[in-house]
Amino acid sequence: MFRAELLGLVTTTATKVTALVAVVGLIVTQLAFVTLMPALADGDIGPGLDALGSDFPVLDLASRAVQLDALNPLGASMGNGSIGVALLAITLFGVLAGTSDDRYGGIVGAVLASPKRFRIVAAKAGAVALIGAALGVVLGLVSLVTLLITLATSGTPFVLGFADLAARFGLGILAVTALAVIGLAVGLIVRTQLAGVLTMIAILILEPVVVSMIQLITGGVLPVWTQFLPVALAQGVIHGGAAGLGPSVVIIALVTLTAALTAAASAALSRRDI
């Protein structure tokens, strides 16, 4: 069943399109982060830093922190709750994987082949996780190549060691895999493709809006629970921890959230009339 689900995913147009959108979106985001923003800050293009204001972020590409952030497979950002094209494409890949069987009737054959429906969800989750991990590797390499080309053209040294690269790649792959499976769970729970896509987009957009509103109300102090929202958790895992939370805490929280949503999807499919 796992092989059937995997074959079904790799041969569908939706998987190829979402992967392509994620890669292209990441390239545009990374180029803006490592080339456009430093050029604006230096005054090479645009009105210059004085006109842009003191709040405009000045990035030091020679620093370890900025180079690590540039290796983010979801796209470098200035905040843990930020979303980008790559993140949106990854989660929608999961949603489409979870709703395609209902749309085209394939779920009937799957249930006839395996009456224990939790096995169907497990096979889907395994296939989506494997493709999500592969996509995480590709996105990590895209970020690395973009950073290396930018550093080479500007004459800036690459200061990261093998341990930094291995940690950032491993955590990035974990985050991308979890987001893809979360999208799958949402798709299985909501069932229809349009509702699943709209639900996932609403979740991703509402999270930074809610966090920003709370930040304004509390004067910049965010409650701890905001670090356990899906996007914040994924970004927290990639960055090796969030504000006030260690790396092990955010990793366990993201894995727990993914497992809980997958269990909820299994329960929803078990009670559903096919």
Side-chain angles (χ1 to χ4, degrees):
M1 183 167 288
F2 168 76
R3 293 178 61 185
E5 293 291 344
L6 188 61
L7 182 63
L9 288 176
V10 298
T11 55
T12 55
T13 303
T15 301
K16 299 172 184 174
V17 170
T18 51
L20 179 62
V21 170
V23 171
V24 173
L26 180 65
I27 291 174
V28 174
T29 303
Q30 298 304 86
L31 285 176
F33 183 78
V34 299
T35 61
L36 180 60
M37 292 184 67
L40 285 169
D42 294 338
D44 297 334
I45 58 174
L49 189 59
D50 292 337
L52 293 173
S54 58
D55 291 335
F56 188 82
V58 178
L59 301 178
D60 180 11
L61 282 178
S63 73
R64 177 177 175 273
V66 172
Q67 292 190 9
L68 278 175
D69 201 26
L71 296 179
N72 190 336
L74 301 180
S77 65
M78 304 307 297
N80 284 352
S82 301
I83 65 171
V85 176
L87 190 151
L88 189 62
I90 291 164
T91 52
L92 290 186
F93 155 67
V95 171
L96 296 176
T99 57
S100 59
D101 274 356
D102 269 307
R103 183 180 184 187
Y104 297 109
I107 191 66
V108 176
V111 171
L112 289 175
S114 177
K116 295 181 179 179
R117 299 185 184 181
F118 72 89
R119 295 183 59 187
I120 299 174
V121 176
K124 287 181 177 295
V128 167
L130 183 59
I131 294 180
L135 184 56
V137 173
V138 173
L139 295 177
L141 290 174
V142 167
S143 296
L144 177 61
V145 171
T146 305
L147 174 63
L148 291 177
I149 292 175
T150 304
L151 294 178
T153 54
S154 62
T156 306
F158 184 69
V159 298
L160 301 180
F162 177 78
D164 293 325
L165 289 175
R168 182 50 57 102
F169 265 75
L171 294 173
I173 292 170
L174 173 62
V176 171
T177 303
L179 287 171
V181 177
I182 287 174
L184 170 74
V186 171
L188 288 171
I189 293 171
V190 177
R191 191 173 185 175
T192 63
Q193 201 163 84
L194 178 60
V197 170
L198 293 177
T199 300
M200 182 52 70
I201 291 176
I203 292 172
L204 296 178
I205 292 177
L206 282 177
E207 180 178 328
V209 172
V210 170
V211 171
S212 297
M213 291 175 60
I214 293 174
Q215 198 168 16
L216 289 174
I217 294 172
T218 60
V221 180
L222 285 175
V224 175
W225 64 265
T226 58
Q227 302 300 324
F228 291 94
L229 297 173
V231 178
L233 274 179
Q235 294 285 10
V237 167
I238 294 171
H239 288 89
L245 301 176
S248 58
V249 174
V250 291
I251 290 174
I252 292 172
L254 182 62
V255 173
T256 302
L257 175 63
T258 305
L261 288 174
T262 305
S266 180
L269 184 62
S270 299
R271 294 195 301 268
R272 183 176 300 160
D273 291 331
I274 302 298

